[in-house]
Amino acid sequence: MFLTEKCSSLLPPHHHHSDAAPPKASRRSRQRQQLLTATKAACFDAALAARLRGLLPGPAPSSPLAALARLADLLALTLAEAAPALAGEGDAAAVAAHLDAGVALLDACNAITARLERLRRRRLLARFALHLLSSSPAGRGRARAALADRDGRSSSSPPPPLPSLPFDQPRGRLSAAARVLVAVSAVSSLAAAAAGAILGEAFLDAAAFPRVSGGDFPWAEPFNAVSGQLSALAAPGASEVDAIDEAVQRLASALDGKGGVDEAAVRAAAQEVERRTEEMTARLDRLSDAVNGVFRAALGLRNAELGSFMVGPGGKTCA
């Protein structure tokens, strides 16, 4: 955790509305509230900047799935801390404008989860082919059929495209609440772009990765550095998903060898498929847990945003 003790004390895990009517606010008490809100937002900004720097010098090229999982963890923390940072600020316009973005993020989490389940099924078919291949010499034909089934299912029912979350940086003077929500939107957009590059099935241009301009946000510099490094994963063939598909294709080609099967080539290709599928298993599970964490945190922030509108006269919470 990158928050200092002082900042942590300003970010309580929950905010409750009192049923008792508060005394009429004086000018001094309003100023104190504004100062407290600004301090909470500054602590939020500082924590995000520190976490982004923690991702540098960048994801290991050998494991884009692990890099995406770390980014998802960062997004979940950002969402979780946004709700208390917004509490008491009172910028209803900024909160209302962000509600649609929150729904889009929840939809993106569902789409990514569906894509991960699809990758798990393809991994199981590859593992089944390896089992058939090792069971007996007669199993080679069935193994080749299993690999063809793996590829056939993929082409016959392509998954829906992963949704993008475009980042539109606002201009002008922003309230403390708006600054927090700008950070939430930027990190959400970056995570969606990285998921599209790593899990998608089409080339994703590096321009799709968001950038933050200007020096108003202390997290802008490390954010842009992380975004630039993640955009390298958009290159065709750079992800582990591409690598395992290429390994399966080499195995299928070895089994289809003209003029007789090259036993050494089959054995080497099978070992590569086995190694890559084993590596992917743990990484898919890790990423799935991280995406679930993002979904829960996004739902919590949305509930907090909706709850901020359910306040009646005298500060009483509406039923």
Side-chain angles (χ1 to χ4, degrees):
M1 179 64 69
F2 294 97
L3 293 176
T4 63
E5 182 177 353
K6 177 180 179 182
C7 290
S8 299
S9 67
L10 294 173
L11 295 179
H14 301 286
H15 176 75
H16 301 283
H17 293 289
S18 172
D19 289 333
K24 189 173 296 185
S26 65
R27 180 179 179 182
R28 180 174 297 178
S29 65
R30 286 195 301 269
Q31 290 175 338
R32 283 199 299 268
Q33 179 60 47
Q34 290 171 354
L35 177 61
L36 176 61
T37 302
T39 303
K40 288 193 294 184
C43 287
F44 177 89
D45 284 348
L48 176 58
R51 292 192 182 105
L52 286 166
R53 291 189 185 96
L55 295 182
L56 298 171
S62 61
S63 182
L65 289 175
L68 182 55
R70 291 196 297 271
L71 180 60
D73 286 340
L74 184 148
L75 175 56
L77 282 170
T78 302
L79 292 163
E81 292 188 346
L86 294 175
E89 206 284 336
D91 189 345
V95 173
H98 186 260
L99 286 174
D100 288 343
V103 173
L105 178 57
L106 292 172
D107 289 341
C109 288
N110 287 330
I112 292 171
T113 297
R115 186 66 63 100
L116 294 178
E117 288 305 311
R118 176 185 174 86
L119 290 174
R120 284 193 177 98
R121 289 193 296 270
R122 287 166 58 79
R123 185 194 66 82
L124 286 174
L125 284 172
R127 293 289 300 171
F128 181 55
L130 292 177
H131 170 72
L132 294 172
L133 188 61
S134 63
S135 60
S136 68
R140 286 177 178 170
R142 297 173 63 193
R144 183 64 186 90
L147 294 179
D149 185 33
R150 175 185 183 271
D151 294 334
R153 292 189 185 188
S154 176
S155 59
S156 63
S157 57
L162 293 173
S164 62
L165 301 177
F167 174 64
D168 185 16
Q169 182 176 342
R171 303 297 175 184
R173 186 177 179 84
L174 300 176
S175 68
R179 290 176 61 88
V180 169
L181 294 176
V182 165
V184 169
S185 296
V187 180
S188 299
S189 178
L190 178 57
I198 296 168
L199 303 176
E201 297 175 346
F203 175 72
L204 182 65
D205 191 89
F209 284 77
R211 297 291 193 277
V212 178
S213 60
D216 293 338
F217 303 99
W219 46 267
E221 182 178 350
F223 177 90
N224 290 337
V226 171
S227 182
Q229 292 183 347
L230 287 170
S231 68
L233 301 178
S239 76
E240 292 141 300
V241 178
D242 297 321
I244 195 171
D245 285 345
E246 292 171 1
V248 167
Q249 185 57 48
R250 281 192 288 271
L251 176 58
S253 298
L255 291 172
D256 290 339
K258 304 298 182 181
V261 175
D262 185 338
E263 296 291 345
V266 170
R267 187 163 51 252
Q271 289 173 348
E272 183 183 6
V273 170
E274 182 174 17
R275 176 176 63 83
R276 292 194 179 278
T277 55
E278 285 301 313
E279 289 175 350
M280 180 175 278
T281 299
R283 291 169 184 171
L284 287 178
D285 290 343
R286 167 78 175 84
L287 179 55
S288 180
D289 289 342
V291 173
N292 287 337
V294 171
F295 186 91
R296 290 191 298 270
L299 191 60
L301 175 58
R302 178 171 173 78
N303 289 340
E305 290 174 332
L306 291 172
S308 69
F309 293 104
M310 300 176 63
V311 179
K316 293 185 178 180
T317 303
C318 298

